[in-house]
């Protein structure tokens, strides 16, 4: 017996359309859409009807950049797959793409299997994986082909973090060449980590140990230079390129120049770069440590360039880089030495709301909100149209969003497993009301009804955005 859910009376917003339509869900998938009051909609019967009057009916968010349980700097990101995906659901995100990590000296297989094991049976929403390459060699290059066949179709390399994740230009080039051949999308952390480490050492020697110095040594020019270099390497390899967590205006300019030449170069930014700045990093009493991430927060003047990039499609995606560390006991590891502060911010629960606020503030349109947060990440990473839209045949990952509800973001009320909020006290208009994942209610009128283990691993096809 099939199970049917009817979502009545809402405004369906996708990247392409805004429709006053009812949505029929059958066995976890979208079966049909029809205008309110149409003969088709009137004829539908269902086992369950959700009243979406006054609400938006939007695709569940796709957060293409998370780090649940990431080991980093002698500690590990504080959200597990269980707590992190639950928080994601609360925030209207129904798919995450997390980064499995290969460590130096180990195979991709070992790293990937460790990530499958961490996530299996624990997720509230669906999930997929990218693979971080820390050790590019003959054997791991061959393994890339196998991963693409298994649905791990994107590979992150680091120009930063020498001695940990860092790959030199030759290794980056080899991985790009392999991706060009097997269809894998190369993702790059574009910061010149070799130069940054020199500046870190010099700053510490001068006694500059506060969190704000993290932002000062990780210079805009070193992000722009690495972005430029990444683009040239991708051209040489004949490979597309996706630059993660773009934060500097000068890096956006490099992407825009490449795109003006018609190159398949893409960029992602994150809420922290759109809403926070070096003012936060400079907060007294070591509070700035809450905002230490890499790439770093920039002076607030950079925000306008990021918003412009999102409007002009020089930037295509907003993901969170969700990588939470508690202030107490984790961020505190870097008291007296900013280079020991674990890098990362929480945000998986906040992205959809912050971007809705950006619609109200006039930075982006309502459809662009859905495009950068749902549809494009799904297409970029081979999940479309299963994820990222509301269309017949798509998974019924659907959010009923109340555009008029008021909320104040706070660690007191959030669901992420972290003891602070990067957006504490911020007023937002708009709030998630109800969330469906493959037709199952995960949040029902602000009550959590999901469960660990509902979320499934989703193998991905190759990039659909080329
Ligand atoms: N940046 C962060 O802030 N955290 C994890 C890894 C990264 O590149
Ligand atoms: Zn990174
Ligand atoms: Zn990251």
């Amino acid at each position: 017996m099939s199970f049917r859910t009817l979502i009545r009376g809402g405004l369906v917003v996708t990247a392409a359309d805004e429709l006053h339509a009812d949505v029929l869900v059958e066995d976890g998938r979208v079966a049909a859409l029809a205008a309110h009051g149409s003969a088709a909609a009137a004829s539908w019967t269902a086992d369950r009807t959700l009243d979406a009057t006054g609400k938006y009916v939007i695709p569940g968010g796709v957060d293409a950049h998370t780090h649940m349980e990431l080991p980093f700097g002698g500690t590990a990101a504080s959200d597990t797959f269980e707590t992190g995906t639950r928080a994601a659901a609360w925030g209207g995100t129904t798919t995450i793409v997390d980064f499995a990590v290969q460590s130096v000296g180990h195979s991709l297989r070992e790293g990937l299997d460790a990530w499958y094991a961490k996530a299996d049976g624990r997720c509230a929403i669906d999930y997929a994986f990218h693979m971080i390459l820390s050790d590019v060699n003959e054997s791991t290059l061959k393994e890339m082909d196998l991963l693409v066949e298994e649905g791990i179709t994107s590979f992150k390399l680091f120009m930063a973090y020498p001695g940990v994740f860092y790959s030199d230009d030759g290794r980056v080039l080899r991985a790009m060449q392999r991706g060009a051949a097997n269809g894998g999308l190369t993702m790059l952390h574009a910061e010149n980590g070799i130069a940054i480490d020199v500046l870190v050492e010099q700053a510490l020697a001068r006694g500059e140990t506060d969190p704000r110095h993290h932002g000062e040594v990780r210079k805009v020019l070193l992000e722009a230079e690495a972005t430029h270099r990444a683009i040239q390497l991708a051209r040489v390899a004949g490979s597309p390129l996706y630059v993660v967590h773009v934060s500097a205006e000068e890096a956006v300019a490099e992407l825009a120049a490449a795109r003006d030449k018609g190159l398949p170069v893409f960029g992602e930014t994150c809420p922290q770069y759109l809403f926070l700045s070096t003012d936060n990093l400079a907060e007294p009493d070591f509070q700035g440590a809450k905002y230490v991430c890499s790439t770093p927060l920039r002076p607030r003047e950079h925000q306008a360039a990021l918003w412009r990039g999102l409007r002009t499609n020089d930037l295509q995606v907003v993901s969170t880089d969700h990588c939470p560390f508690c202030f107490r006991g984790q961020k505190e590891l870097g008291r007296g030495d900013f280079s020991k502060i674990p890098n990362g911010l929480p945000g998986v629960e906040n992205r959809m709301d912050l971007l809705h606020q950006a619609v109200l503030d006039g930075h982006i349109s309502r459809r662009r909100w859905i495009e950068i947060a749902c549809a494009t990440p799904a297409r970029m990473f081979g999940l479309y149209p299963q994820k990222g839209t509301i269309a017949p045949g798509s998974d019924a990952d659907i959010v009923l969003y109340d555009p008029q509800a008021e909320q104040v973001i706070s660690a007191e009320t959030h669901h992420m497993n972290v003891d602070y909020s990067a957006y504490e006290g911020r007023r937002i208009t708009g709030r998630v009301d109800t969330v469906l994942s493959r037709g199952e209610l995960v949040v029902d009128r602000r009550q959590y009804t999901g469960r660990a283990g509902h979320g499934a691993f989703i193998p991905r096809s190759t990039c659909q955005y080329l």
Side-chain angles (χ1 to χ4, degrees):
M1 268 296 280
S2 72
F3 189 87
R4 286 153 65 107
T5 301
L6 185 49
I7 305 171
R8 283 234 194 254
L11 176 66
V12 177
V13 184
T14 66
D17 292 303
E18 302 194 350
L19 306 164
H20 292 278
D22 296 348
V23 181
L24 182 65
V25 171
E26 188 161 4
D27 294 334
R29 294 208 175 155
V30 176
L33 289 84
H36 302 326
S38 64
S43 74
W44 289 339
T45 56
D47 304 284
R48 168 170 70 195
T49 299
L50 308 179
D51 179 10
T53 307
K55 302 199 172 62
Y56 299 156
V57 178
I58 60 173
V62 177
D63 190 340
H65 191 152
T66 69
H67 297 286
M68 306 305 171
E69 308 178 40
L70 175 75
F72 191 99
T75 183
S78 58
D79 261 320
T80 62
F81 277 89
E82 180 164 353
T83 62
T85 58
R86 188 166 60 212
W90 270 107
T93 285
T94 52
T95 307
I96 60 164
V97 191
D98 200 86
F99 285 83
V101 179
Q102 178 218 5
S103 340
V104 177
H106 295 268
S107 64
L108 303 190
R109 183 81 258 159
E110 286 171 79
L112 179 58
D113 284 346
W115 249 256
Y116 280 132
K118 288 192 216 209
D120 185 40
R122 299 201 171 86
C123 293
I125 54 160
D126 289 349
Y127 59 97
F129 295 131
H130 312 284
M131 188 85 223
I132 287 178
L133 295 187
S134 310
D135 194 354
V136 177
N137 56 49
E138 274 314 307
S139 155
T140 55
L141 286 166
K142 288 203 186 89
E143 280 193 283
M144 286 173 71
D145 300 353
L146 301 175
L147 261 63
V148 170
E149 282 171 24
E150 194 171 321
I152 317 294
T153 56
S154 40
F155 301 90
K156 183 181 179 192
L157 291 119
F158 289 76
M159 294 172 141
Y161 302 122
V164 190
F165 297 125
Y166 174 81
S167 293
D168 65 23
D169 291 354
R171 291 185 173 89
V172 170
L173 181 67
R174 280 186 199 279
M176 285 174 162
Q177 288 171 329
R178 198 77 182 200
N182 67 23
L185 181 61
T186 299
M187 308 171 77
L188 223 29
H189 179 130
E191 284 188 292
N192 186 327
I194 300 285
I196 286 169
D197 276 10
V198 171
L199 299 181
V200 169
E201 194 185 308
Q202 293 170 343
L204 292 173
R206 286 193 298 270
E208 297 167 0
T209 61
D210 290 345
R212 73 186 159 89
H213 297 292
H214 170 85
E216 287 168 12
V217 297
R218 301 188 85 94
K219 292 191 179 299
V220 162
L221 287 174
L222 297 177
E223 183 186 346
E225 181 276 325
T227 304
H228 181 82
R229 186 158 34 102
I231 292 166
Q232 306 313 320
L233 291 169
R235 290 174 81 176
V236 169
S239 142
L241 171 68
Y242 179 95
V243 182
V244 295
H245 49 54
V246 174
S247 64
E249 175 168 11
E250 289 80 348
V252 179
E254 294 290 347
L255 295 173
R259 291 180 59 76
D260 288 347
K261 292 193 183 82
L263 298 170
V265 169
F266 312 109
E268 156 201 280
T269 190
C270 312
Q272 53 268 37
Y273 308 118
L274 295 164
F275 291 92
L276 305 173
S277 73
T278 45
D279 297 350
N280 299 98
L281 265 178
E283 285 178 15
D285 302 325
F286 196 64
Q287 296 295 306
K290 294 174 176 173
Y291 307 95
V292 165
C293 58
S294 297
T295 57
L297 301 186
R298 301 296 183 191
R300 59 171 64 247
E301 299 78 70
H302 290 259
Q303 292 171 359
L306 298 175
W307 288 119
R308 195 181 323 115
L310 287 170
R311 285 191 297 272
T312 59
N313 208 40
D314 286 316
L315 298 171
Q316 294 77 26
V317 171
V318 176
S319 310
T320 59
D321 201 1
H322 177 76
C323 190
F325 297 99
C326 287
F327 182 75
R328 269 171 249 107
Q330 295 195 294
K331 290 289 189 180
E332 282 181 338
L333 294 168
R335 267 194 203 275
D337 180 350
F338 69 81
S339 74
K340 297 205 161 58
I341 301 168
N343 286 203
L345 259 65
V348 76
E349 188 172 352
N350 306 127
R351 182 183 66 130
M352 297 299 287
D353 288 330
L354 288 165
L355 292 177
H356 180 257
Q357 185 61 46
V359 173
L360 299 178
D361 294 345
H363 291 299
I364 51 172
S365 70
R366 202 154 50 184
R367 276 177 288 161
R368 186 65 175 159
W369 169 44
I370 300 306
E371 189 161 37
I372 63 182
C374 312
T376 301
R379 290 175 64 200
M380 190 68 73
F381 297 108
L383 290 163
Y384 198 84
Q386 183 182 359
K387 307 297 188 186
T389 192
I390 299 176
S394 298
D395 283 354
D397 290 4
I398 296 174
V399 174
L400 276 56
Y401 195 85
D402 182 346
Q404 260 140 23
E406 306 272 340
Q407 59 166 317
V408 178
I409 297 179
S410 174
E412 299 285 315
T413 46
H414 76 199
H415 303 86
M416 299 176 285
N417 184 38
V418 58
D419 63 359
Y420 75 95
S421 171
Y423 307 98
E424 186 68 38
R426 192 174 289 258
R427 289 181 176 281
I428 299 277
T429 300
R431 194 172 66 177
V432 169
D433 179 79
T434 292
V435 179
L436 295 167
S437 166
R438 280 180 281 104
E440 280 195 27
L441 279 168
V442 180
V443 177
D444 181 6
R445 288 161 290 175
R446 309 270 330 140
Q447 295 291 319
Y448 186 72
T449 54
R451 63 183 169 85
H454 164 77
F457 171 73
I458 310 288
R460 296 181 290 115
S461 71
T462 54
C463 177
Q464 301 162 308
Y465 200 77
L466 294 168

